[in-house]
Amino acid sequence: MRLAAHLHEQGELPSAFVVVSEEEDPQGIPPDGPVDAEVRSTDAGTKGQVLLRAQVVRAARGEILHVLGGTGSYDNGTTVADLADLLRGSVDKKAKRYPPVEMSKIHLVLEALDHQAPVSAQPVVDQFRLHHAGNVKSKGFIAIWLVGPTEIYRLDE
């Protein structure tokens, strides 16, 4: 998970950790609750301790291709506001699926890789933060992240 590496670089995760997903769990203990991945400590004193729980979802999965005319291009008149609204829709959709007590324990990770790269452009992130950050922060996730091909942004601040 690129987010774990990013948080480690920022000093927010210890040097020794492992990312555990349902598909590949080295200890045979899958993530708990509505999460796709957990980051667990591998330090001797805290081995196995959960450091971060994440729900990973594609940012605006099918909608982004529709809005961009199936081409991945802005040429059809799509605005940065349109793309920011799509990201907001992804957050809203996930927020409706979980009770607040669950959301308060997880990071929401919007993955914007490959053909979805336009949503991770800085102007889209700026537009999102300006118009939607306060609303999505009130949803109750620990944090909401946008992970693009080369960049990672926290959207709820």
Side-chain angles (χ1 to χ4, degrees), residues 64 67-78 115 118:
I64 189 70
V67 168
L68 296 178
T71 66
S73 168
Y74 288 96
D75 295 341
N76 68 351
T78 302
H115 65 273

Side-chain angles (χ1 to χ4, degrees):
M1 176 193 317
R2 288 190 57 230
L3 177 60
H6 172 77
L7 292 174
H8 170 65
E9 288 171 10
Q10 302 297 315
E12 295 183 38
L13 283 179
S15 58
F17 64 87
V18 63
V19 176
V20 179
S21 69
E22 290 185 48
E23 295 80 34
E24 52 185 60
D25 182 357
Q27 299 175 0
I29 306 168
D32 181 38
V35 297
D36 298 313
E38 288 181 341
V39 177
R40 297 181 186 158
S41 174
T42 56
D43 283 334
T46 58
K47 189 171 184 169
Q49 177 183 351
V50 175
L51 305 171
L52 178 145
R53 300 174 71 222
Q55 170 71 57
V56 182
V57 62
R58 290 188 127 190
R61 188 176 187 167
E63 296 89 346
I64 189 70
L65 288 180
H66 177 73
V67 168
L68 296 178
T71 66
S73 168
Y74 288 96
D75 295 341
N76 68 351
T78 302
T79 67
V80 294
D82 295 333
L83 297 174
D85 290 347
L86 287 175
L87 291 176
R88 161 85 187 269
S90 294
V91 174
D92 289 346
K93 185 175 179 179
K94 279 296 174 183
K96 290 177 184 175
R97 293 191 63 189
Y98 305 112
V101 68
E102 287 295 331
M103 286 188 293
S104 69
K105 299 176 187 175
I106 60 177
H107 293 252
L108 180 61
V109 180
L110 303 178
E111 226 175 45
L113 306 172
D114 303 328
H115 65 273
Q116 300 179 45
V119 298
S120 64
Q122 185 68 55
V124 177
V125 172
D126 293 343
Q127 180 79 9
F128 183 94
R129 287 176 173 159
L130 181 64
H131 295 284
H132 304 301
N135 181 275
V136 299
K137 187 175 186 87
S138 71
K139 302 289 182 191
F141 293 103
I142 293 173
I144 300 170
W145 300 92
L146 177 63
V147 178
T150 59
E151 57 284 309
I152 296 175
Y153 301 102
R154 184 159 178 185
L155 295 177
D156 60 332
E157 55 181 24

